[in-house]
Amino acid sequence: IAYVVLAVFLAVTGHLFYLTLEQLTETGPRGISYPMEIMVGNVAFWLVFLFIPPLLTMRLFAEERSAGTLEMLLTAPVRDWQVVFAKYIACFGFYVLMWLPTLLYLPILTDWVWWTRTCNIDPWPIATTYLGLALAGAMFLSIGLFISSLVNSQMIAAIASLFIGLLFIAGYWLPEMDANELKYQIVFFFSVPLHFDRHFTRGLIDTRHLALYASVALFGLFLTIRSLESRRWR
C-alpha cells in the first residue's frame, strides 16, 4: 500500500509541477505570483492528500487487533506511549520520505531558465509551504493512528479517518462567504486548504494554524495512548 501511495502521490505532484512551470513561462493574465499555489492549491492535490493519512495509518493498530498480536505487543517490556510514538514516528517518517523527491523541483523553481526566460522565485513561500505540509501531515496522521487503535478492521479505520479528515478539507469546496462573518471565521480556522491558499503558499505563517495542527496532533496521540491503556482494564 505504501508503495502504491508513493507512486500515485509522485505522479500527481509531478503533473502539478509541470503545470506550475507552464504558468511560470506565461506572461500577461495567465501568469502567477505564487507558484506554490498551483502545487498545493489544486483540487487534485487535496483529493490525493485526503487519502494519504488513512492509507498509511489504517494498519498500524487495526491489523494488530485483527491478527491478535496487539496483546503480545502490549505485554512486551515497553510502555504504551513508546509503542504509540514508535508507530507514529515511523509513519511520519514515511510521509516525509514521500516529499523528499519533490525537493528536486526546488532548484528549478528558484532559478528557472528556459529559452532565455529567467524567473527568480522567492524561496521563502516554498519553505513555509513545506513547513505547513509537514505539520498538517502530522495532524492527519495522528487522527488516523487514533482511529486505527479503536477498531479491528483496516477498512473501517480508513473510512473513519477519511471522514474526519474531510472535516478539515471540506471548507475548500464551500461557496464563497463574507470574510467578516463568524461562520467564515470558523470554517477558515479548520480548513487546511484555505490556510495554504491564504498564507503558507504566500510566505506567511499564521500561528493559529500552527497551534491547530500541533494541538490536534498531540491530542490524537494522547487519545491513542489512552485507547491502548483501556485494553489493560478489560
Side-chain angles (χ1 to χ4, degrees), residues 103-125:
L103 296 178
L104 298 175
Y105 304 154
L106 300 186
I108 305 177
L109 281 178
T110 53
D111 189 17
W112 168 248
V113 181
W114 179 256
W115 294 100
T116 69
R117 299 180 182 181
T118 303
C119 298
N120 294 318
I121 306 301
D122 182 7
W124 181 245

Side-chain angles (χ1 to χ4, degrees), residues 62-150:
E63 186 179 34
E64 300 270 12
R65 282 175 173 269
S66 61
T69 58
L70 183 59
E71 286 74 12
M72 182 171 56
L73 179 64
L74 295 180
T75 55
V78 291
R79 298 182 181 273
D80 293 339
W81 69 266
Q82 292 174 321
V83 175
V84 172
F85 273 89
K87 287 181 174 289
Y88 179 74
I89 292 174
C91 189
F92 182 74
F94 182 80
Y95 173 80
V96 173
L97 180 66
M98 292 175 56
W99 284 99
L100 288 182
T102 65
L103 296 178
L104 298 175
Y105 304 154
L106 300 186
I108 305 177
L109 281 178
T110 53
D111 189 17
W112 168 248
V113 181
W114 179 256
W115 294 100
T116 69
R117 299 180 182 181
T118 303
C119 298
N120 294 318
I121 306 301
D122 182 7
W124 181 245
I126 300 176
T128 56
T129 299
Y130 273 86
L131 173 64
L133 289 170
L135 295 177
M139 177 182 71
F140 284 102
L141 292 175
S142 176
I143 294 173
L145 185 67
F146 169 60
I147 298 299
S148 181
S149 70
L150 297 176

Side-chain angles (χ1 to χ4, degrees), residues 177-182 184-185 198:
M177 292 178 289
D178 186 357
N180 295 323
E181 292 183 3
L182 178 61
Y184 172 82
Q185 298 295 335
R198 307 291 169 83

Side-chain angles (χ1 to χ4, degrees), residues 36-51 95 128-129 132-133 135-137 139-140 164-174 176 184 186-202 204 206 209 212-213:
M36 297 304 292
E37 285 183 344
I38 296 182
M39 288 289 295
V40 300
N42 191 285
V43 174
F45 172 82
W46 289 109
L47 287 176
V48 173
F49 184 88
L50 180 63
F51 282 87
Y95 173 80
T128 56
T129 299
L133 289 170
L135 295 177
M139 177 182 71
F140 284 102
I164 296 178
L166 186 61
L167 299 178
F168 292 92
I169 301 290
Y172 184 64
W173 292 288
L174 293 178
E176 291 289 337
Y184 172 82
I186 296 176
V187 171
F188 178 76
F189 180 78
F190 289 101
S191 180
V192 175
L194 292 181
H195 300 167
F196 284 85
D197 183 60
R198 307 291 169 83
H199 293 108
F200 288 115
T201 59
R202 301 181 180 221
L204 304 175
D206 192 326
H209 310 331
L212 173 67
Y213 303 158

